Amino acid sequence: MRMIFDPRQIAHAPALEMHNGGWTAHAEVPGRAANILAALGEASVPVDHGLAPITAVHDAGYVAFLEAAHDRWLAAGREGDAVGYIWPVARRRDVPLDRIDALLGRYSMDAGTPITGDTWDASYWAAQSALTALDAVLAGERTAFALCRPPGHHAGADYLGGYCYLNNAAIAAQAARDAGAERVAILDVDYHHGNGTQDIFWDRDDVFFASLHGDPRIDYPFYWGHADERGEGVGDGATLNLPLPHGTTIAPYLAALDQALTAIRDFAPDMLIVSFGADTYEADPISHFAIRTQDYVEIAGAIAKLALPSVIVMEGGYAVEALGVNVAEFLSGF
Ligand code: SP5
Ligand code: ZN
C-alpha cells in the first residue's frame, strides 16, 4: 500500500504539554513518524495542493493565525513554544484581537498543543500527505496511507488542540466531495473522540462521521463524543458516537465497530476516510484500551469488508517503540 509522508513533518516537536497541573514532556514526538517509517519502508512525498483545500475546511483567520503565531510569539519577546493561557469561554467575540496571547486563546481548545517554529510547515505537509493519498485513491488505488504527523482529528474549523492543528481527515473528506464523491464516511478509530472532525461536519448530511473512543465522561476531550451526540439539522443522524469503557478488549471493540460499519453501509458512501490512531494499544502510555498488536489485523479486516475506496490517515499512538509494528499490522489487515 502506498504511504505518503514529507520529511518536513518531522521537525515539529513541542517540548511540553500541560497535564495534571504541571508541564510534562510532550507525547506527540517526532520519533513516532520515524518508527512508522522504519517499519513500513518507502514513502512517497506529497504533491503540493496549495492552501485552497485547507481553507475549504478551516477558517481563514485561523489559518493565518497558525501560520504567523510563532513569529508573533517571538516578536512579543517570548522564547520557546507558543501556548495560550486565557480562553474565551462565553465572552464577546467581536473584539478585534491583536495580542498573541489573545489569539492563542481564541484559536485553541487546550494547553497541550504548543505552536513551534516548525508547526505550520509540518501541519501543512501532513495535510498535503492526506490530499495526496486521496489522489491515489481517486486514481483507482483501493487504499492509500497518509502518515500524517502532526495528527488532525481534534482540530476544528477554527481551533487547534489535542496535538492537532489542521484536520487532515476532514480536509481529505472535503476534497473528496469537491472531486465528485457524493457521500463520504469518516470512521475514527483513534482512542480519543475526533471532536474537530465531528464539529466540522456536525450539521451536514453529505459526510457521515462515526467514532469509537474512550468514554468522554472519564477521558479527554470530555465535552464531545457522548452517545447522544448525533448531529444537527440536515446532519441529524449523520454522526455516530460509540464511547467505550477503560479496559476495552478486542471482542467488545469489534462489536462496537460492527455497529459503526453497519451505519456506514446504510449511509452508502462512495469513499471512506479512516482516522487511525494506534493509541487503542494495550501499552499506550496515555490511553486505556487493551487492544493487542495482532488485533489490528482483525480491526482492519472488518473495515476492509466495506469494500470502499479508502484513505487511511494517521492520528495518535504514543507507545513509540510499538507504533510501527501496530501500524503495519493494521495496514496488512486492509
Ligand atoms: C491525536 C491524539 O491522540 N491526541 C490526544 C490528545 C490527548 N491529550 C490529553 C491527554 C493528556 C495526557 N497527557 C500525557 C502527558 C505525557 N507526558
Ligand atoms: Zn488519540
Side-chain angles (χ1 to χ4, degrees):
M1 185 186 310
R2 217 144 79 84
M3 167 165 67
I4 320 294
F5 177 76
D6 191 289
R8 282 168 281 195
Q9 294 171 233
I10 294 175
H12 162 78
L16 301 170
E17 62 180 293
M18 176 57 75
H19 179 61
N20 294 349
W23 293 98
T24 178
H26 206 279
E28 204 285 283
V29 294
R32 298 179 59 244
N35 196 275
I36 295 169
L37 287 166
L40 294 183
E42 283 302 285
S44 334
V45 293
V47 171
D48 191 354
H49 297 68
L51 271 178
I54 294 173
T55 52
V57 160
H58 288 282
D59 175 77
Y62 170 67
V63 172
F65 153 78
L66 186 60
E67 190 168 6
H70 195 261
D71 284 343
R72 295 185 68 143
W73 180 256
L74 297 179
R78 314 291 173 69
E79 299 179 334
D81 304 342
V83 67
Y85 71 91
I86 179 166
W87 288 271
V89 177
R91 306 293 169 191
R92 46 192 295 187
R93 296 258 170 169
D94 60 322
V95 180
L97 302 173
D98 186 46
R99 293 284 289 203
I100 180 62
D101 309 285
L103 291 162
L104 284 163
R106 165 65 184 82
Y107 292 123
S108 306
M109 66 173 258
D110 70 12
T113 318
I115 301 171
T116 77
D118 299 301
T119 296
W120 168 256
D121 258 10
S123 304
Y124 180 87
W125 289 105
Q128 300 301 333
S129 289
L131 289 163
T132 303
L134 172 66
D135 288 343
V137 170
L138 289 172
E141 284 184 43
R142 181 57 170 275
T143 53
F145 173 58
L147 204 188
C148 293
R149 176 188 181 268
H153 74 151
H154 294 299
D158 65 350
Y159 63 87
L160 58 82
Y163 317 155
C164 303
Y165 307 85
L166 296 176
N167 193 314
N168 308 304
I171 289 166
Q174 182 62 47
R177 286 282 295 110
D178 293 338
E182 295 271 329
R183 281 184 305 282
V184 176
I186 303 174
L187 173 63
D188 191 318
V189 290
D190 183 275
Y191 175 81
H192 304 94
H193 179 251
N195 60 280
T197 316
Q198 171 170 301
D199 274 353
I200 288 164
F201 298 112
W202 181 246
D203 57 3
R204 287 171 51 169
D205 62 359
D206 57 331
V207 179
F208 189 86
F209 176 70
S211 180
L212 279 65
H213 48 267
D215 193 329
R217 285 179 296 188
I218 49 171
D219 252 307
Y220 183 95
F222 305 113
Y223 311 103
W224 296 261
H226 301 272
D228 61 352
E229 295 165 26
R230 296 171 31 90
E232 211 171 282
V234 295
D236 186 18
T239 292
L240 175 64
N241 282 299
L242 298 163
L244 296 164
H246 281 185
T248 293
T249 55
I250 185 65
Y253 192 88
L254 287 173
L257 181 62
D258 194 56
Q259 283 185 62
L261 296 174
T262 299
I264 289 171
R265 261 186 216 102
D266 290 348
F267 183 74
D270 312 302
M271 165 93 57
L272 178 70
I273 314 287
V274 181
S275 267
F276 172 59
D279 44 7
T280 50
Y281 180 51
E282 57 183 349
D284 192 89
I286 73 167
S287 308
H288 307 278
F289 284 172
I291 302 302
R292 301 159 301 176
T293 295
Q294 66 267 29
D295 297 334
Y296 287 110
V297 184
E298 242 185 303
I299 294 170
I303 299 169
K305 284 212 188 89
L306 288 173
L308 287 167
S310 302
V311 176
I312 302 161
V313 169
M314 194 69 213
E315 301 286 358
Y318 307 99
V320 175
E321 292 311 314
L323 184 56
V325 175
N326 287 338
V327 172
E329 286 291 293
F330 185 80
L331 296 182
S332 78
F334 253 87

